[in-house]
Amino acid sequence: MSTRGAAMRKQQKPLVIAIDGPAASGKSTLAEKLAQRLGFFYFDTGVMYRAATLAAMKDLGGVEDEKAVTRLTAAVQIDVRPPSVEDGRVMDVLLNGEDVTWEIRTPEVDRNVSPVSAYEGVRTILTNRQRDIGMRGNMVMVGRDIGTVVFPDARYKIYLEASPEERARRRLKEMQLRGETHSFEEVLQSIIRRDGIDSTRQHAPLKPAVDAVIIDTDGKSIEEVLEETLAIVQP
Ligand code: DC
């Protein structure tokens, strides 16, 4: 390859498809299927905030001390890699080498993760790590601020919406599949509470990028949403 060709290739931006939206809007399911269809990597950035939250709950006994949580986040190692166990997981999440794939999905982590993800220092640290991973390219990245902050130049940006009730029904179903029992009301209130914190926080609040395509998923099957997305995304 010529030197000029190599330089041009180096300058090329990584191909990132950003999928953002509120909790349980179907982002992960869509992104996973999209990545499969395109042969891309699937990266759910929420697991990083969840792993940092779990680390704080374990090491600090809580998440209230912003400085301590930020220091701890800088010190811990959070890794994601393809699934090593066939138990319904779509990726392994490792916290300092320990498999915490399911531990980061408990209601306790759900309760504590929104405050942690509102801490500016935590966001800076995890945003930088997410950019490093995204730079590998051919990546479907899922989160709240991928299209607005992490990769504002992403080639495609999708923002999923669904009513809180529809999202609570979906989340409850996921939990039931894992053998957990919670009431619909409990799950709905948790979702409404997290929406409030996520969309009103000062740093990188949840909102669609101005150039995102908004898809309302209420009453739609995952296949319908996938087809709608594939019509937009043509790598
Ligand atoms: O998608 P999730 O429910 O696993 O996300 C967990 C939390 O992390 C949620 O409160 C929002 C936050 N988050 C974020 O602020 N930015 C991201 N890119 C991903 C998740």
Side-chain angles (χ1 to χ4, degrees), residues 45-46 49-50 113-114 117 123 143-145 194 198 201:
T45 58
Y49 290 96
R50 288 176 174 274
V113 68
S114 279
S117 64
R123 297 206 72 83
R144 303 291 193 287
D145 60 344
R194 285 176 55 201
D198 291 347
R201 71 180 175 223

Side-chain angles (χ1 to χ4, degrees), residues 80-96:
V80 290
R81 60 178 194 198
S84 62
V85 186
E86 272 189 43
D87 60 358
R89 65 181 62 192
V90 288
M91 57 182 173
D92 284 358
V93 183
L94 304 178
L95 175 62
N96 291 328

Side-chain angles (χ1 to χ4, degrees), residues 207-220:
K207 63 171 183 199
V210 284
D211 51 350
V213 177
I214 299 177
I215 300 180
D216 187 342
T217 70
D218 260 22
K220 286 182 193 160

Side-chain angles (χ1 to χ4, degrees), residues 18-223:
I19 303 201
D20 293 302
S25 54
K27 303 181 297 284
S28 310
T29 316
L30 170 67
E32 198 195 324
K33 287 187 183 294
L34 188 62
Q36 235 169 33
R37 284 278 278 264
L38 301 175
F40 277 27
F41 293 101
Y42 161 72
F43 178 28
D44 175 4
T45 58
V47 301
M48 291 196 136
Y49 290 96
R50 288 176 174 274
T53 303
L54 181 66
M57 286 162 53
K58 282 182 166 181
D59 289 13
L60 306 172
V63 301
E64 291 74 26
D65 185 339
E66 178 170 352
K67 276 194 183 144
V69 174
T70 307
R71 267 198 307 272
L72 183 66
T73 303
V76 293
Q77 205 187 343
I78 302 167
D79 290 322
V80 290
R81 60 178 194 198
S84 62
V85 186
E86 272 189 43
D87 60 358
R89 65 181 62 192
V90 288
M91 57 182 173
D92 284 358
V93 183
L94 304 178
L95 175 62
N96 291 328
E98 188 194 342
D99 187 334
V100 293
T101 308
W102 295 121
E103 227 183 318
I104 60 168
R105 299 281 167 197
T106 60
E108 290 72 36
V109 173
D110 271 359
R111 255 197 306 280
N112 288 299
V113 68
S114 279
V116 169
S117 64
Y119 293 156
E120 186 179 10
V122 170
R123 297 206 72 83
T124 305
I125 295 161
L126 297 185
T127 295
N128 284 332
R129 292 191 193 167
Q130 289 158 20
R131 283 192 185 127
D132 284 346
I133 296 175
M135 289 306 283
R136 296 174 196 163
N138 288 0
M139 186 85 53
V140 181
M141 279 179 84
V142 179
R144 303 291 193 287
D145 60 344
I146 308 302
T148 51
V149 176
V150 182
F151 277 101
D153 289 342
R155 176 105 47 104
Y156 302 102
K157 299 180 186 180
I158 309 285
Y159 188 90
L160 294 190
E161 275 181 347
S163 66
E165 289 74 17
E166 171 101 21
R167 291 186 281 131
R169 272 193 292 277
R170 291 177 190 162
R171 192 43 59 93
L172 193 63
K173 212 165 149 192
E174 276 171 29
M175 289 169 150
Q176 282 165 348
L177 283 174
R178 296 205 298 266
E180 295 168 24
T181 40
H182 301 281
S183 73
F184 175 77
E185 199 50 36
E186 192 188 335
V187 177
L188 178 63
Q189 288 315 319
S190 165
I191 280 183
I192 291 173
R193 186 178 149 271
R194 285 176 55 201
D195 280 358
I197 303 179
D198 291 347
S199 53
T200 57
R201 71 180 175 223
Q202 204 184 342
H203 311 289
L206 169 69
K207 63 171 183 199
V210 284
D211 51 350
V213 177
I214 299 177
I215 300 180
D216 187 342
T217 70
D218 260 22
K220 286 182 193 160
S221 70
I222 179 61
E223 283 70 28

